[in-house]
């Protein structure tokens, strides 16, 4: 998968790239964010020496996208389901607290797994492949 984003910050040898949300998100309405406020930021190796304001193509391996989705959605959902089943015989407020704690633990576990395990595997880390200039559609020369 290749996405186009804009470099918004440079940190030593890394670049923070902001990606706009997809147009299909406009029809969903599930988020509490305004249309103009919705974006995703990703910090990656600045292998092309991009500068703030540059638009870059970023390649995200197929495994990265699928694995990230599984980690972010499946782990918290699994833990919440286990908590619900474990507290089935208790009152509703105890079930609610157990599920809430399980969700927090699941998102924490997902963040730790992503930062410490998945991001270090080759082919899972997003990489810059090209600096582009959207205004004229041409390639930007690397100096």
């Amino acid at each position: 998968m290749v996405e186009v984003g804009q470099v918004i910050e440079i940190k030593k040898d890394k670049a923070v790239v902001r990606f706009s949300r997809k147009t299909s998100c406009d029809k969903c309405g599930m988020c509490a964010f305004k249309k103009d406020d919705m974006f995703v930021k990703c910090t990656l190796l600045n292998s092309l020496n991009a500068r703030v304001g540059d638009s870059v193509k970023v390649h995200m391996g197929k495994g990265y996208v699928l694995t990230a989705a599984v980690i972010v959605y499946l782990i918290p959902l699994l833990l919440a389901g286990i908590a619900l089943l474990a507290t089935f015989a208790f009152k509703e407020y105890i079930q609610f607290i157990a599920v809430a704690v399980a969700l927090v633990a699941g998102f924490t576990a997902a963040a730790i797994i992503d930062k410490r395990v998945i991001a270090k595997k080759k082919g899972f880390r997003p990489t810059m492949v090209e600096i582009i200039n959207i205004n004229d559609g041409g390639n930007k020369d690397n100096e």
Side-chain angles (χ1 to χ4, degrees):
M1 177 200 291
V2 176
E3 294 290 332
V4 176
Q6 184 175 28
V7 177
I8 60 170
E9 187 178 350
I10 301 293
K11 300 177 180 178
K12 296 183 182 179
D13 63 339
K14 301 206 187 284
V16 178
V17 181
R18 182 177 70 187
F19 300 95
S20 298
R21 74 179 183 171
K22 302 287 182 205
T23 55
S24 58
C25 295
D26 293 340
K27 298 174 187 134
C28 174
M30 293 298 290
C31 292
F33 295 105
K34 295 177 184 174
K35 178 181 176 183
D36 296 333
D37 293 344
M38 189 69 170
F39 58 88
V40 176
K41 289 192 280 186
C42 182
T43 302
L44 47 116
L45 184 65
N46 190 1
S47 58
L48 302 177
N49 296 319
R51 297 182 215 143
V52 172
D54 286 347
S55 294
V56 294
K57 282 187 182 178
V58 176
H59 179 263
M60 298 181 193
K62 293 177 187 175
Y64 178 81
V65 176
L66 182 60
T67 304
V70 167
I71 289 171
V72 169
Y73 295 112
L74 192 60
I75 291 174
L77 188 60
L78 260 167
L79 290 179
I82 291 168
L84 188 59
L85 288 174
T87 59
F88 188 72
F90 295 96
K91 295 188 182 225
E92 288 179 4
Y93 74 92
I94 292 174
Q95 291 176 343
F96 177 78
I97 292 169
V99 169
V101 169
L103 285 173
V104 169
F107 285 120
T108 303
I112 291 169
I113 290 169
D114 181 52
K115 295 258 189 230
R116 297 204 175 141
V117 178
I118 300 301
K120 292 181 182 178
K121 288 192 172 199
K122 202 168 200 155
F124 281 95
R125 184 171 289 278
T127 56
M128 286 186 193
V129 292
E130 182 181 359
I131 297 176
I132 59 172
N133 186 341
I134 292 178
N135 293 329
D136 67 10
N139 292 341
K140 182 175 179 179
D141 293 330
N142 289 334
E143 298 173 24

